[in-house]
Amino acid sequence: GGKPRLEGRRISALQIAQMDIRLGKSPENIADQLDLGLDEGHEALAYYYQQPDEMNELREKKRELRERIKKKSNAPEKAER
């Protein structure tokens, strides 16, 4: 898909960074949760921070895709309780 991923895995550098930044998970926790070596998690985070323009572009593409899907969806905005 053109996204920077860990070699031989379907886990992207952006996914790992979002777990770190948005969810507040530590690199150790991320590595454990995704069955990665700690070095792989740190490598992905390093790539994320070294490529800010690329990561911003990927985030924007994901946001645009979510918006397109949302517009085509028949699902209600919020689920009723």
Side-chain angles (χ1 to χ4, degrees):
K3 298 175 194 162
R5 300 182 184 280
L6 295 175
E7 189 172 332
R9 299 180 183 261
R10 296 186 62 169
I11 301 167
S12 71
L14 183 59
Q15 179 183 1
I16 291 173
Q18 288 177 329
M19 290 177 76
D20 176 60
I21 297 165
R22 290 176 49 203
L23 301 177
K25 296 188 180 282
S26 69
E28 293 83 5
N29 186 275
I30 294 168
D32 184 56
Q33 191 172 0
L34 298 177
D35 194 28
L36 303 173
L38 186 56
D39 60 324
E40 292 175 294
H42 282 289
E43 182 180 341
L45 289 171
Y47 185 90
Y48 173 85
Y49 287 111
Q50 291 169 352
Q51 309 297 326
D53 293 339
E54 180 181 4
M55 295 297 114
N56 287 334
E57 184 179 323
L58 288 172
R59 254 194 307 281
E60 181 61 21
K61 285 180 180 180
K62 284 180 73 171
R63 187 195 65 73
E64 289 171 357
L65 177 60
R66 279 193 307 270
E67 288 299 315
R68 284 196 310 269
I69 291 170
K70 188 176 177 181
K71 285 179 184 177
K72 291 181 180 182
S73 173
N74 293 329
E77 287 290 319
K78 294 190 178 199
E80 296 181 25
R81 292 182 183 210

